[in-house]
Amino acid sequence: MKLQSTIIPIFRLKPGREKSVHRRHPWVFSGAVESEADANQPGQTVRVESSSGKFLGYAAWSPKSQIRLRFWSFNERDKIDENFFYSRLQKALSYRSSSNMASNAKRLVHGEADGFPGLIIDQYNQVLVLQFLSVGMEYWREVLIRQLIDLTRLECVFERSDTEVRRLEGLERQCGSILGELPPNFVIKEHGLEYYIDVKNGQKTGFYLDQRANRAKIQEISNNREVLNCFCYTGGFSLNALRGGAKFVTSIDSSGQALKMAKLNTKMNGLQEEKTTWMEADVFESLRKFRDQGRNFDLVILDPPKFAPTKQNVEKAARAYKDINLLAMKLLNLGGLLASFSCSGAISPELFRKILASSAEDARHDFLIIDTFSADQDHPQLLSFPEGEYLKGILLQKRT
Ligand code: SAH
């Protein structure tokens, strides 16, 4: 794509639709846009004005998407050029380097929160993994890659822009090497445990970095407990439970590939394999089987995939969350703990809590809220963008 930044097309919003922009929300939906004058390149920067012609901000134009505009800036004096992105990238990197996350794998850029709507950059030790998820970010692709290499001095950059959301932006899926070769069987270290990372075929960009602090928490509360880890992926919570002194850890995932890595991870960390069992199975079915068998646990972890990818799926997702939580609550011994997560942005923390309350009602037990969880600090949230608060969790204790 050719970058053109000299002539900036002007977009006007419909009357009254500037309110969310005043709240500094980074998106404008298609229905709020009155006129899309003279823009011709998807992703190019446009000047956004209110219906009365007042400056609101500069945004990336995404003609195919319902999210028609994504703001770069609300400051009229800003120039959306290479320097603008360079200093934004510097800021994102310096935020990460100033916080200690006890890991050599971290998210360097987390979309909207870092001022890059639709961009994910994860660092796994010496490897950078990029996801361009909006046409506005795709527009600046070459510039950003160059700047990123300049700032990090890393020599292996891989792209995992192979998610469904690209289609909503009118973009093809893309996956492959940008610079260098992926090292074979490479490993990251987090809170004293090592994990193999499969950047090419793994889920997300290879690992669920957002759960880092919560995995450490599980290590703290697992001692002497019979643990059930549902949706275990490559074993993050399971390994932490073992390291934390769990009596036994049962882990379930539907992905055989993920379980293979989980077993390798257990071995690599010198953890007691005889204290684990890995089940390639459906969690919904397995929980029912355990219920019928009268099995009990002292700690159940539920970290399911995104049941509600959009607002349209909320009702169905709520039923699924209620189902697994109800089953898990029944499997717990008295005094047992339930660490329950939702990574659906469309399910608010309040709604999630209501769903759990409704599960507890049907389970006919009292639960105490011991703790709450969110994504780790390299996944910051923008105060003006509640949609960004996608990962939430609650730690409950079965009381009576
Ligand atoms: N807790 C993990 C991440 C879990 S991601 C960590 O910290 O790394 C969700 C996992 O659920 C994925 O590994 C996916 O393969 C698995 N999964 C999705 N649907 C499932 C189902 N119905 N039954 C079992 N596993 C499922």
Side-chain angles (χ1 to χ4, degrees), residues 143-400:
V143 169
L144 280 165
I145 291 171
R146 205 174 346 108
Q147 294 181 346
L148 187 63
I149 293 168
D150 181 55
L151 284 167
T152 63
R153 302 271 160 213
L154 291 176
E155 287 163 3
C156 181
V157 184
F158 196 87
E159 177 169 18
R160 279 295 305 269
S161 304
D162 53 346
T163 76
E164 269 301 296
V165 291
R166 292 256 304 179
R167 203 183 311 153
L168 305 175
E169 294 285 311
L171 296 165
E172 298 286 313
R173 287 161 168 247
Q174 208 151 305
C175 177
S177 175
I178 290 175
L179 178 73
E181 288 274 320
L182 282 176
N185 303 325
F186 83 97
V187 163
I188 60 134
K189 198 163 188 170
E190 173 195 289
H191 285 289
L193 286 164
E194 290 188 309
Y195 301 89
Y196 286 108
I197 302 295
D198 184 353
V199 158
K200 209 167 173 178
N201 307 301
Q203 297 179 23
K204 298 232 273 192
T205 60
F207 200 55
Y208 289 83
L209 294 171
D210 50 0
Q211 288 282 26
R212 182 188 308 106
N214 306 330
R215 281 189 284 266
K217 186 85 199 174
I218 291 297
Q219 196 175 129
E220 284 171 27
I221 59 173
S222 292
N223 194 30
N224 220 18
R225 289 185 190 270
E226 182 83 30
V227 179
L228 173 62
N229 180 15
C230 298
F231 310 97
C232 67
Y233 189 46
T234 56
F237 285 119
S238 310
L239 266 61
N240 277 281
L242 283 172
R243 178 56 59 82
K247 243 189 245 164
F248 194 87
V249 183
T250 303
S251 309
I252 311 172
D253 202 283
S254 54
S255 159
Q257 190 62 29
L259 291 170
K260 216 160 112 192
M261 287 186 70
K263 288 179 204 167
L264 288 174
N265 286 335
T266 312
K267 208 180 207 142
M268 173 168 59
N269 286 285
L271 296 163
Q272 288 169 284
E273 291 166 80
E274 63 279 9
K275 281 192 176 179
T276 65
T277 179
W278 305 94
M279 298 169 56
E280 184 176 341
D282 175 73
V283 164
F284 292 83
E285 285 171 16
S286 304
L287 291 175
R288 286 191 162 73
K289 215 180 277 168
F290 288 155
R291 178 198 59 194
D292 298 343
Q293 294 167 345
R295 292 277 308 266
N296 289 114
F297 298 91
D298 307 308
L299 169 60
V300 178
I301 301 153
L302 296 176
D303 184 21
K306 207 190 286 175
F307 286 156
T310 65
K311 286 204 168 116
Q312 281 78 51
N313 316 98
V314 166
E315 226 170 278
K316 194 165 162 234
R319 278 198 296 275
Y321 285 118
K322 178 170 173 184
D323 187 30
I324 52 171
N325 280 283
L326 168 58
L327 287 161
M329 285 172 172
K330 286 185 175 166
L331 294 180
L332 278 179
N333 290 315
L334 278 187
L337 299 171
L338 171 62
S340 185
F341 296 92
S342 160
C343 61
S344 303
I347 304 266
S348 68
E350 294 72 31
L351 177 57
F352 187 52
R353 199 166 147 168
K354 271 191 201 150
I355 295 169
L356 295 189
S358 151
S359 299
E361 183 187 337
D362 287 9
R364 297 171 171 275
H365 286 286
D366 288 325
F367 287 85
L368 215 58
I369 300 173
I370 304 287
D371 209 344
T372 55
F373 305 106
S374 59
D376 207 358
Q377 44 183 317
D378 51 340
H379 296 59
Q381 289 166 37
L382 207 53
L383 190 55
S384 58
F385 182 56
E387 292 87 339
E389 193 180 354
Y390 69 103
L391 180 66
K392 57 256 156 209
I394 308 186
L395 182 64
L396 297 173
Q397 184 174 44
K398 190 164 175 175
R399 271 303 166 98
T400 56

Side-chain angles (χ1 to χ4, degrees), residues 20-27 74 110-115 379-389:
S20 74
V21 187
H22 288 320
R23 287 197 299 270
R24 304 178 80 82
H25 193 283
W27 297 347
F74 302 107
H110 184 53
E112 279 75 2
D114 285 296
H379 296 59
Q381 289 166 37
L382 207 53
L383 190 55
S384 58
F385 182 56
E387 292 87 339
E389 193 180 354

Side-chain angles (χ1 to χ4, degrees), residues 1-4 41-44 135-136 138-140 142 171:
M1 260 185 243
K2 213 173 121 255
L3 305 187
Q4 54 172 109
Q41 274 198 53
Q44 80 177 90
V135 74
E138 186 77 24
Y139 184 88
W140 292 96
E142 300 308 323
L171 296 165

